[in-house]
Amino acid sequence: MNTVKTVTADEFPLKAGDNLIMVVPHHDDTILGCGNFVIEALARGVLTTVTRVFVSCSRTNFFANYQEGLLSEEQIQRVTQARIEEDTLGCNDLFGGSYNWRQGIIGEWDAPIRGYSGAMTAGGGSWGDFSTFRPEEIDMYNRLITQYMWMLQEENTTILCLIANGSHVDHFNVREAMLHAAFLVGDNAKAQIVFVEDEPYTSDNTDQRFVEFDKLNARTGNGLTSLGMACQPGQYKNTHMHEIFDAHYRTQYTDGYELDLNKNNDFIIYTLDKAKYKSITKDTSCTADYCVLA
C-alpha cells in the first residue's frame, strides 16, 4: 500500500537556486502534468531559476474532437503552431513571465502522425506499452534516451517527468526513456528525478491512481517516496492550474476535461532515490533487447 506523506519544507525536492527541467510528452502536459508542482514551488519561494521545458512530441495534428484521417501537412502545421502558441501563453502565465522559462522542442511526432493506434485511454489518447511498440516507437524511444542522458548529469537540478497514469503510449515512451537514461548514467547522475501525476487521467480514474506507482516502485527497489500536497486554489476554479488550462489551451478543451479537472484538489509527487538509478529493472511488457536494462 502506498503511504503518502504530507511534504515538509525539507522534503520538497526543489531548493532555492536549484535548476528545474520539465520533460513532457505534449504541449498541454506542461500545465496538466507539471503545473501544480510549479505553482507550489513558486508559492514556497523555491523556484528562483529559469526553467527549461522540453516537449518531446511537438509535431502534431491532435486537437479536441479530432477526426481520424486528418493528416494533411497543412493541418499538421496549423495544429502544431496553435499548440506551441497556447503552450507559450500558458507557460508565460504559469512562470510569471516569458523571461522565467525556456522552451525546448525535441520534435518527435505524436501517435496519430506516426500512424499508431491502440485502445483509448481516459484522456482520449492511444494506450500503449512495449508490447505495442513498432519500429517507429522503438526509434523514438532510443532517440529520447540520448536526449535525456545529458539532463541527468546536470548538477543542482530537479527533473520533472510524468508517471504515465493511463499509459498513453507517448507518456509511457517518455517515462521509460527517462528511466533507461537514468539506468545508463547510473552513479554519474547528479539530477533528481521527480515523477508527477498526469491529468486528467489521474482525476478521472482515482481507483487506479497508484497502479503505475506500484509497478515503478517495485522496479526501483522501493525507491520512490510519495509526497502529497493540496493544489493551490484558483479565483474562479478550484485550482490555479485549472484556470491556466482553461485560459490558454483551447485546442484541448472538452467538457470531459472540465469534469475531471474539477475533481483535482490534491496532487502527489514521487521522488526517485538517485542511488537506485543504476539498479532499475525493466518494465514487465519488455521482451526485446532494446528495452532490457542490463
Side-chain angles (χ1 to χ4, degrees):
M1 180 177 180
N2 185 18
T3 301
V4 181
K5 300 170 61 178
T6 300
V7 68
T8 65
D10 290 339
E11 292 171 317
F12 193 77
L14 188 72
K15 303 293 184 288
D18 286 354
N19 298 309
L20 180 63
I21 294 177
M22 293 161 50
V23 176
V24 298
H26 309 105
H27 284 288
D28 59 330
D29 295 317
T30 57
I31 300 297
L32 293 174
C34 303
N36 284 321
F37 180 96
V38 171
I39 292 166
E40 180 69 20
L42 289 168
R44 290 172 179 258
V46 296
L47 183 51
T48 59
T49 60
V50 175
T51 300
R52 286 168 287 175
V53 179
F54 292 95
V55 182
S56 298
C57 300
S58 180
R59 184 167 162 79
T60 182
N61 71 327
F62 185 83
F63 55 93
N65 303 311
Y66 163 81
Q67 299 294 312
E68 290 291 341
L70 299 180
L71 294 173
S72 71
E73 184 61 27
E74 179 181 359
Q75 177 179 317
I76 292 169
Q77 290 296 323
R78 289 184 180 277
V79 175
T80 297
Q81 290 170 21
R83 295 194 67 176
I84 291 173
E85 179 178 340
E86 62 190 18
D87 200 32
T88 300
L89 294 172
C91 285
N92 288 347
D93 195 347
L94 177 66
F95 293 107
S98 61
Y99 290 98
N100 297 326
W101 71 289
R102 300 287 182 270
Q103 186 178 62
I105 295 176
I106 294 176
E108 294 291 342
W109 295 9
D110 76 346
I113 299 179
R114 296 197 310 271
Y116 180 93
S117 61
M120 191 70 70
T121 66
S126 294
W127 179 93
D129 62 16
F130 287 127
S131 70
T132 67
F133 272 29
R134 307 165 304 154
E136 293 87 346
E137 284 70 51
I138 295 171
D139 289 345
M140 173 180 161
Y141 175 72
N142 287 323
R143 286 191 296 266
L144 290 176
I145 292 170
T146 302
Q147 292 279 359
Y148 299 158
M149 287 180 70
W150 70 263
M151 302 178 192
L152 287 156
Q153 298 176 71
E154 294 272 290
E155 294 184 342
N156 303 316
T157 297
T158 295
I159 299 175
L160 299 187
C161 181
L162 275 61
I163 200 168
N165 283 345
S167 290
H168 183 297
V169 64
D170 294 337
H171 293 216
F172 177 89
N173 204 337
V174 168
R175 184 197 73 194
E176 288 302 313
M178 180 61 69
L179 289 168
H180 201 139
F183 173 84
L184 292 174
V185 176
D187 287 334
N188 293 319
K190 299 180 177 65
Q192 174 64 63
I193 298 174
V194 176
F195 291 101
V196 292
E197 295 185 302
D198 319 50
E199 290 293 347
Y201 304 94
T202 300
S203 293
D204 188 52
N205 295 278
T206 54
D207 60 326
Q208 299 183 47
R209 188 171 195 173
F210 301 123
V211 169
E212 296 305 322
F213 162 83
D214 289 338
K215 292 189 293 186
L216 188 53
N217 198 40
R219 292 171 57 193
T220 58
N222 296 317
L224 292 180
T225 299
S226 305
L227 302 172
M229 283 154 278
C231 296
Q232 292 288 332
Q235 293 183 339
Y236 65 94
K237 293 288 185 180
N238 62 326
T239 71
H240 184 34
M241 181 272 277
H242 190 175
E243 289 179 345
I244 295 174
F245 178 79
D246 277 6
H248 301 292
Y249 293 81
R250 308 313 302 163
T251 68
Q252 306 306 301
Y253 183 95
T254 68
D255 290 340
Y257 271 38
E258 282 296 289
L259 291 172
D260 293 334
L261 291 178
N262 280 331
K263 305 172 188 174
N264 177 222
N265 296 306
D266 70 289
F267 67 103
I268 303 171
I269 60 174
Y270 306 97
T271 60
L272 177 57
D273 184 354
K274 282 190 279 188
K276 303 287 188 177
Y277 290 3
K278 63 184 178 183
S279 58
I280 298 169
T281 59
K282 69 175 184 175
D283 183 82
T284 56
S285 67
C286 167
T287 59
D289 290 343
Y290 74 90
C291 54
V292 171
L293 303 174

